[in-house]
């Protein structure tokens, strides 16, 4: 079974962390930890942006559907009004 890329990345991060902590290089480990936190924050921000874009797309699609339904409804009402006007005019002529 092939390993997923995320598990390979996690293993790499663990190895780096162990190496930095075992060599008494706390300042380098702290820098590494801050970098890892920044990566997580950037990932979260990207996910939120994608979610916002998807929500906007869905809202736009709903708006388009509603506008089309209103247009069809107006067209039907206009057609019905014209039919009623013709019936009234035909009734007056007869």
């Amino acid at each position: 079974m092939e390993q997923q890329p995320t598990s390979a990345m996690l293993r790499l991060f663990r190895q780096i962390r162990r190496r930095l902590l075992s060599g008494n290089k706390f300042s380098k480990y702290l820098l590494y930890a801050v970098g890892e936190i920044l990566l997580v924050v950037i990932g979260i921000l990207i996910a939120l942006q994608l979610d916002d874009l998807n929500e906007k797309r869905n809202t736009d699609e709903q708006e388009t559907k509603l506008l089309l339904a209103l247009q069809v409804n107006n067209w039907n009402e206009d057609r019905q009004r014209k039919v009623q006007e013709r019936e009234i005019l035909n009734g007056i002529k007869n």
Side-chain angles (χ1 to χ4, degrees):
M1 178 179 248
E2 202 172 304
Q3 289 186 356
Q4 296 178 348
T6 53
S7 65
M9 278 191 349
L10 290 175
R11 192 171 359 140
L12 176 67
F13 286 142
R14 275 191 221 117
Q15 288 173 356
I16 292 170
R17 191 175 342 159
R18 277 191 220 123
R19 196 171 353 126
L20 291 174
L21 283 175
S22 67
N24 289 331
K25 299 175 182 175
F26 185 74
S27 61
K28 285 187 179 181
Y29 174 73
L30 190 60
L31 184 63
Y32 163 79
V34 169
E36 197 170 343
I37 290 169
L38 283 174
L39 284 175
V40 170
V41 169
I42 289 170
I44 290 171
L45 290 174
I46 290 171
L48 287 172
Q49 183 67 30
L50 289 175
D51 186 53
D52 286 346
L53 289 173
N54 189 37
E55 192 172 322
K56 183 183 180 329
R57 183 182 56 81
N58 288 339
T59 303
D60 289 347
E61 285 177 4
Q62 287 177 344
E63 183 181 343
T64 301
K65 287 178 183 178
L66 286 172
L67 289 172
L68 286 173
L70 282 172
Q71 187 177 18
V72 168
N73 189 33
N74 286 340
W75 183 80
N76 285 335
E77 287 177 356
D78 188 45
R79 199 174 101 217
Q80 190 176 19
R81 185 180 39 78
K82 287 180 181 178
V83 167
Q84 288 172 348
E85 287 173 356
R86 268 192 239 125
E87 288 173 353
I88 292 171
L89 287 175
N90 285 340
I92 293 174
K93 287 181 185 177
N94 293 333

